[in-house]
Amino acid sequence: MAIDKKTVEYVAHLARIELQDKELEKLSSQLHDILGFIDKLSELDTKDVLPTSHILPINNVLRNDQPGQSLTPAKALENAPSSEGNFFTVPKVIE
Amino acid sequence: MEFEPVIGLEVHLHLKTKTKAFCGCSTEFGGQPNSQVCPVCLGFPGTLPVLNKVALEYAIKAGLALNCTVNKFTKFDRKNYFYPDLPKDYQISQYDFPVSSNGFLEIDIDGKIKRIGITRAHLEEDAGKLIHKDSVSLVDFNRTGIALLEIVSMPEINSPQEAYEYLTGLKSILKYLGVSDCDMEKGSLRCDANVSIRPKGTIPLGVKAELKNMNSFKAVRDALEYEIERQAKCLEAGEKIIQETRLWDEKQGCSVVMRTKEGAQDYRYFPEPDLTTFIIDSGLIDEIRKSIPELPREKYQRFIKEYGLSIYDAKLLVLIREDADFAESCMQTYANNDKKLIVNWLNGALLSEANARNCQLCQLGIKAQDLVELVNFVERQEISNLSAKTVLTQMIETKKGPAEIIKEKNLSQISDTGALDGFIEEAIKENEKSVADYKAGKENALMFLVGQVMKKSKGKANPKTAQELIKRRLENA
Ligand SMILES: [Zn+2]
């Protein structure tokens, strides 16, 4: 699979990462190599193998519907870059 | 050209669990902002979500009631996107193995039963609430992580009214199950609609618009009507319909474009590694199936069959489970085989009282026994229909039985000839013209005189007795 600059730009945008032109080129070739390496897997016959949904061989881990301890608003906001009263604040998202 | 609308509905439902889907925070509505949050639902690094057992059971229960196949294997996936109401930058949802799929819901439309397919019902978590101020947006994460059931219909709804019936039917079932409050005002039920139109009789689907921000079932119906008309005007003017999301503005009665989707959004779903997968064994499914009560449509059919109700009456009575139970105990207590009279009271006077108080029938605090007793008073013509309504209001307000109120308020109807004679003589004396009219063959004049007697007796005269007595008196005069 060919990874061009455009694909890397797209993926970088999805991850909200800003990349310089030089980085784009470097990452394109690196990603290309990585995918090529992973492509080796397609040499295997996986016709009778189910897709893996989880790597641990356990199922049905559930909890009871019992209330636990929540944080106080003050504690919850302790690491917030910005807040107002009991709210977190973010740059306005609609005009 | 005549167009046919094609509508699909997506309903998001808060499940009525005590705690959130993946952590022990309370789901209580109306708490102080950010007082029901913890490291798990705030998405702090190093925390692990664990699925709420009751949320899974409720999802299965809803799936069964919607005639879905409950899948033997189910798992969760991450839906990745950035938005300030989503602290983890992904939503835990279900992609390729939902809890249940392939169901249907039956609605009544134009006197026929129509089946609307249900593609899937899957579990996911809710996002937080944003409040937009002048320069910033405030974020409250109390709602973040509350278990949601997303119920997706097939694009098989063909009119705004069908959409309305589908939603009403869905809500009724879900409330019977007790898995959700289904309260649109509190946001525990939200509905988005996909709508496109195509020339009637053709198969290919047109370009669809997604409608959001409808706050009631009526708003969904209005928004769909508006959108169908808008699209038809577009096509007739030779314009192309653009795939877009539109927000319904209830006050203005129109929708506005939110944002144009350029291609499909890339959510990069992948299996949620922090949760295990789930094997749903048939024992659990059977157990949950047994806990499902008689559902509204079954009850509706039984009411028609067992009590001889009309379609209209039966439909109205089964909408809310507790009310249906109350109505049934009234119908059973009422000895007459023909249930029409008691049902008229339930769907008439009682329903108006409930609507006026913004509550349900069963919340009026009236005992089935007492309502039946009141109706019996009317049947025996011991009180007039009008007085009975006053008694009903009194019953609700004072919690007293009908007999006591009738006695206290002296509402017994006067059927006693002697007691009525005085009123009749007065009415005849004061209305010589009506008397003459009646004698000249005008039947209406008689009813006028009866009305006068009713007035003089303060509504207590038995109108039938009064009419007979006046007639006899005039004919013998
Ligand atoms: Zn939490």
Side-chain angles (χ1 to χ4, degrees):
Chain A
M1 188 175 167
I3 298 292
D4 53 15
K5 246 171 77 178
K6 245 183 145 176
T7 310
V8 180
E9 254 174 350
Y10 174 68
V11 174
H13 171 72
L14 282 177
R16 302 294 186 272
I17 298 171
E18 207 180 337
L19 295 175
Q20 305 302 320
D21 233 24
K22 249 171 78 183
E23 292 171 308
L24 277 175
E25 254 158 55
K26 192 173 159 194
L27 285 166
S28 302
S29 77
Q30 283 186 352
L31 270 174
H32 180 83
D33 290 348
I34 292 168
L35 286 179
F37 181 65
I38 287 172
D39 238 11
K40 262 197 117 46
L41 285 172
S42 58
E43 290 168 18
L44 288 170
D45 177 11
T46 54
K47 199 168 72 219
D48 299 319
V49 182
L50 285 173
T52 302
S53 296
H54 200 278
I55 53 161
L56 298 178
I58 47 169
N59 288 306
N60 297 26
V61 176
L62 292 157
R63 42 173 274 272
N64 290 325
D65 189 20
Q66 298 282 342
Q69 198 70 47
S70 292
L71 299 172
T72 60
K75 195 83 190 155
L77 291 164
E78 221 172 47
N79 292 325
S82 65
S83 62
E84 190 178 314
N86 274 358
F87 292 99
F88 293 85
T89 55
V90 293
K92 201 173 176 188
V93 284
I94 54 162
E95 265 93 60
Chain B
M1 192 188 289
E2 206 183 334
F3 292 105
E4 175 188 52
V6 180
I7 301 161
L9 295 176
E10 259 173 41
V11 169
H12 285 91
L13 197 72
H14 270 181
L15 293 177
K16 214 162 98 184
T17 51
K18 287 195 214 72
T19 64
K20 294 184 179 182
F22 304 110
C23 66
C25 289
S26 165
T27 58
E28 200 81 45
F29 179 80
Q32 259 193 72
N34 295 306
S35 62
Q36 291 152 222
V37 295
C38 74
V40 174
C41 56
L42 287 175
F44 285 5
T47 56
L48 280 177
V50 185
L51 180 61
N52 184 333
K53 188 167 174 246
V54 177
L56 179 62
E57 286 167 357
Y58 280 2
I60 294 172
K61 199 171 180 179
L64 288 171
L66 297 171
N67 308 294
C68 289
T69 305
V70 173
N71 298 312
K72 298 265 182 276
F73 173 84
T74 186
K75 78 178 207 328
F76 289 86
D77 302 272
R78 289 188 182 179
K79 178 179 179 177
N80 300 280
Y81 66 93
F82 292 99
Y83 209 66
D85 64 4
L86 191 72
K88 297 194 297 291
D89 293 336
Y90 60 84
Q91 178 194 32
I92 303 180
S93 181
Q94 297 197 286
Y95 185 59
D96 47 0
F97 293 94
V99 170
S100 67
S101 44
N102 283 325
F104 64 85
L105 182 81
E106 286 182 340
I107 59 165
D108 288 301
I109 198 83
D110 304 326
K112 280 191 211 113
I113 295 170
K114 178 172 174 179
R115 246 180 210 196
I116 309 289
I118 288 171
T119 311
R120 57 193 274 150
H122 74 243
L123 274 170
E124 59 184 34
E125 56 177 345
D126 203 357
K129 198 171 116 195
L130 291 172
I131 300 162
H132 306 292
K133 302 231 314 192
D134 291 338
S135 54
V136 292
S137 294
L138 308 177
V139 195
D140 175 6
F141 289 119
N142 281 352
R143 219 173 60 184
T144 304
I146 290 183
L148 285 179
L149 190 67
E150 181 177 325
I151 302 168
V152 185
S153 88
M154 301 273 279
E156 293 177 348
I157 297 165
N158 296 114
S159 72
Q161 184 58 27
E162 283 184 23
Y164 185 84
E165 293 290 332
Y166 171 87
L167 290 170
T168 314
L170 186 64
K171 176 176 169 178
S172 183
I173 291 172
L174 294 163
K175 288 206 75 168
Y176 265 61
L177 297 177
V179 299
S180 175
D181 287 331
C182 299
D183 188 340
M184 277 188 113
E185 271 167 36
K186 289 182 184 169
S188 65
L189 189 154
R190 304 195 286 271
C191 174
D192 299 336
N194 287 308
V195 56
S196 63
I197 59 172
R198 62 186 172 196
K200 217 179 159 118
T202 62
I203 309 257
L205 294 172
V207 177
K208 68 183 178 185
E210 188 180 2
L211 304 179
K212 284 179 182 288
N213 199 38
M214 290 87 76
N215 296 318
S216 65
F217 291 169
K218 196 186 153 293
V220 173
R221 188 169 57 191
D222 293 345
L224 284 169
E225 254 155 31
Y226 175 87
E227 181 59 19
I228 290 162
E229 207 181 300
R230 188 190 71 83
Q231 291 188 11
K233 273 186 195 151
C234 263
L235 290 186
E236 271 159 5
E239 290 164 30
K240 263 202 175 144
I241 290 167
I242 302 157
Q243 179 161 346
E244 59 193 6
T245 301
R246 302 180 67 90
L247 294 178
W248 177 243
D249 182 336
E250 194 162 348
K251 276 200 196 103
Q252 307 286 328
C254 68
S255 60
V256 287
V257 182
M258 191 169 93
R259 56 169 186 255
T260 308
K261 275 189 187 171
E262 292 153 18
Q265 280 201 352
D266 193 343
Y267 290 125
R268 293 149 293 144
Y269 281 95
F270 65 86
E272 166 58 270
D274 288 348
L275 291 164
T276 67
T277 53
F278 296 87
I279 310 282
I280 312 298
D281 70 69
S282 52
L284 178 66
I285 296 176
D286 286 345
E287 199 182 301
I288 293 172
R289 197 189 296 277
K290 273 187 212 130
S291 74
I292 294 178
E294 182 184 37
L295 293 175
R297 286 201 73 81
E298 297 156 22
K299 206 184 272 294
Y300 155 86
Q301 272 148 9
R302 188 169 60 78
F303 274 13
I304 291 175
K305 214 173 123 199
E306 273 180 35
Y307 302 106
L309 301 194
S310 69
I311 288 174
Y312 171 84
D313 281 332
K315 213 170 151 183
L316 210 53
L317 285 181
V318 302
L319 217 48
I320 298 167
R321 183 179 171 186
E322 296 79 11
D323 286 354
D325 290 345
F326 172 70
E328 179 151 31
S329 77
C330 290
M331 292 191 290
Q332 281 170 347
T333 310
Y334 182 69
N336 200 329
N337 273 336
D338 182 355
K339 305 294 178 192
K340 187 69 192 156
L341 193 60
I342 187 81
V343 170
N344 282 350
W345 273 87
L346 287 164
N347 279 343
L350 222 61
L351 191 60
S352 328
E353 293 282 359
N355 288 343
R357 290 170 171 75
N358 202 13
C359 72
Q360 293 169 218
L361 286 188
C362 63
Q363 291 168 334
L364 289 169
I366 300 242
K367 290 192 212 94
Q369 186 66 48
D370 285 345
L371 182 70
V372 170
E373 198 181 325
L374 177 66
V375 173
N376 288 339
F377 271 109
V378 178
E379 278 179 298
R380 291 194 303 267
Q381 298 191 15
E382 284 172 38
I383 57 170
S384 69
N385 219 30
L386 198 69
S387 307
K389 283 183 183 159
T390 315
V391 175
L392 181 69
T393 310
Q394 288 290 312
M395 283 162 70
I396 295 163
E397 278 163 13
T398 65
K399 306 282 173 246
K400 287 179 186 166
E404 196 182 344
I405 294 166
I406 291 167
K407 205 172 156 200
E408 259 178 31
K409 301 251 156 189
N410 192 22
L411 287 169
S412 283
Q413 197 158 249
I414 309 170
S415 303
D416 174 40
T417 333
L420 287 178
D421 273 348
F423 297 132
I424 292 173
E425 282 313 314
E426 269 179 48
I428 287 175
K429 234 179 243 159
E430 288 165 17
N431 298 285
E432 280 172 8
K433 188 170 178 310
S434 299
V435 173
D437 283 350
Y438 177 71
K439 286 186 174 163
K442 283 188 188 160
E443 285 288 323
N444 280 349
L446 180 64
M447 291 324 291
F448 175 78
L449 290 168
V450 173
Q452 293 304 304
V453 171
M454 293 306 293
K455 213 189 251 172
K456 286 176 188 299
S457 68
K458 298 195 172 66
K460 281 159 58 186
N462 179 334
K464 266 194 196 147
T465 316
Q467 187 178 345
E468 260 164 50
L469 288 174
I470 297 169
K471 215 169 159 182
R472 209 180 306 155
R473 168 75 175 65
L474 292 181
E475 273 157 18
N476 293 339

